[in-house]
Amino acid sequence: MFKNVIVKTPGKSYLNGLTTSDLGKPDYEKLLIQHKNYIEALKKCGVTVTHLPASEEFPDSTFVEDTAVLTPEFAVVTNPGADSRNGEIKEIESVLKGFYKNFHYINSPGTLDGGDVLQAEDHFYIGISDRTNEEGARQLKEIVESEGFKGTIVPLKEFFHLKTGITYLGNNIIAAAGEFLDHPDFEEYEKLIVSSKDEYSANCIRVNDFVIIPKGYAETKRKMSEAGYKTIELEMSEFQKHDGGLSCLSLRF
Ligand code: CIR
């Protein structure tokens, strides 16, 4: 069960943030509405929302997931791999001080984005991507192992972040797309297969009794319902334009 989430309103500078997509410029008004709906959906899932105000200084800082890795017992403050995002960790660390005593840190030359970390029960999967380097992944593996968890490092082939293509749904089930469909590291899991046309919906979030999925992916929605999940669909177009998905917009713990 998650009790808490941290979210952060996107600032106007979001429009100048990082992206690799060619989906066009985000519409700021729509973005704010989508963010508000995201918060409402989380509340419906029964969590307490800590809502941080926008920072114009950090255009991508609404994607709070990248700044920390959280469990009920400890917090890891990451070292985000994009220079323009690295300073985001200061605010998040001070907010987390209100919830945690036990802190770990990813230190340079190690870099790590929280989007590259998937927790499935007591097992952390740590992607190596353009943002998370081998040293950062190695440091996180050492940290989680020191806390009694398992750690597996997964070099990525195509996805932006590890969780761009995979979600842990609980009960040994993952939603997986692309390179994770036949990946040896995830062989032990039962899979909800996300087809290539629905690939964006592989980034969804299980929050207590619900799975929040992006709107417009009928096949994924149907598969989720058939598997017995209650879903909440959210329009994510303006976040997708900047490579963001549902997991990126919150820290859940
Ligand atoms: C970035 O490039 O950092 C942002 N535009 C998107 C971050 C998405 N975060 C995530 O998948 N955890």
Side-chain angles (χ1 to χ4, degrees):
M1 283 293 276
F2 291 119
K3 289 197 188 105
N4 287 291
V5 300
I6 298 173
V7 298
K8 186 170 168 67
T9 298
K12 288 211 175 74
S13 65
Y14 177 87
L15 306 189
N16 310 315
L18 301 171
T19 187
T20 60
S21 95
D22 52 7
L23 298 171
K25 263 250 172 284
D27 176 315
Y28 188 60
E29 295 311 314
K30 275 194 200 161
L31 182 79
L32 289 180
I33 293 167
Q34 290 176 10
H35 195 259
K36 187 168 163 286
N37 291 340
Y38 182 77
I39 293 170
E40 288 313 311
L42 287 170
K43 286 183 180 161
K44 187 173 169 188
C45 299
V47 291
T48 301
V49 178
T50 299
H51 188 172
L52 309 179
S55 310
E56 296 305 338
E57 191 190 350
F58 295 111
D60 287 286
S61 55
T62 191
F63 298 118
V64 286
E65 172 180 69
D66 293 316
T67 59
V69 175
L70 303 177
T71 73
E73 297 83 23
F74 64 92
V76 183
V77 177
T78 67
N79 192 23
D83 287 344
S84 66
R85 299 202 56 192
N86 202 265
E88 293 174 22
I89 54 178
K90 282 200 197 75
E91 179 188 26
I92 294 294
E93 183 184 2
S94 72
V95 174
L96 290 173
K97 290 260 156 81
F99 294 95
Y100 286 94
K101 287 210 167 61
N102 183 3
F103 278 85
H104 297 275
Y105 296 86
I106 303 297
N107 294 305
S108 295
T111 62
L112 183 124
D113 277 14
D116 280 318
V117 183
L118 173 76
Q119 185 181 0
E121 310 299 336
D122 65 347
H123 201 147
F124 284 84
Y125 295 88
I126 310 161
I128 294 181
S129 67
D130 284 349
R131 299 291 175 82
T132 298
N133 63 16
E134 266 184 71
E135 172 57 15
R138 190 199 61 72
Q139 287 180 28
L140 184 64
K141 180 171 155 67
E142 198 172 289
I143 291 166
V144 300
E145 287 174 352
S146 78
E147 292 281 359
F149 291 81
K150 283 185 252 173
T152 298
I153 295 178
V154 185
L156 303 188
K157 294 199 186 92
E158 55 175 75
F159 284 119
F160 180 75
H161 277 133
L162 180 83
K163 275 186 294 199
T164 312
I166 190 163
T167 297
Y168 183 62
L169 295 168
N171 296 51
N172 207 48
I173 303 172
I174 55 173
E179 67 188 274
F180 298 125
L181 290 173
D182 295 315
H183 198 293
D185 287 336
F186 300 105
E187 249 170 12
E188 71 199 76
Y189 296 95
E190 208 180 304
K191 290 187 188 70
L192 188 147
I193 292 170
V194 177
S195 66
S196 59
K197 76 176 166 50
D198 274 15
E199 191 173 280
Y200 179 70
S201 63
N203 182 278
C204 50
I205 46 174
R206 170 87 194 261
V207 187
N208 302 336
D209 292 341
F210 294 91
V211 181
I212 308 180
I213 61 172
K215 202 172 190 132
Y217 299 91
E219 188 184 303
T220 298
K221 183 175 156 61
R222 178 178 53 72
K223 288 182 180 173
M224 290 277 176
S225 303
E226 283 168 4
Y229 296 109
K230 286 192 276 183
T231 55
I232 301 174
E233 278 184 287
L234 290 179
E235 183 54 69
M236 287 291 290
S237 61
E238 306 315 294
F239 293 103
Q240 188 177 12
K241 287 175 181 171
H242 277 197
D243 298 334
L246 286 158
S247 75
C248 321
L249 291 177
S250 58
L251 284 163
R252 302 163 297 280
F253 56 107

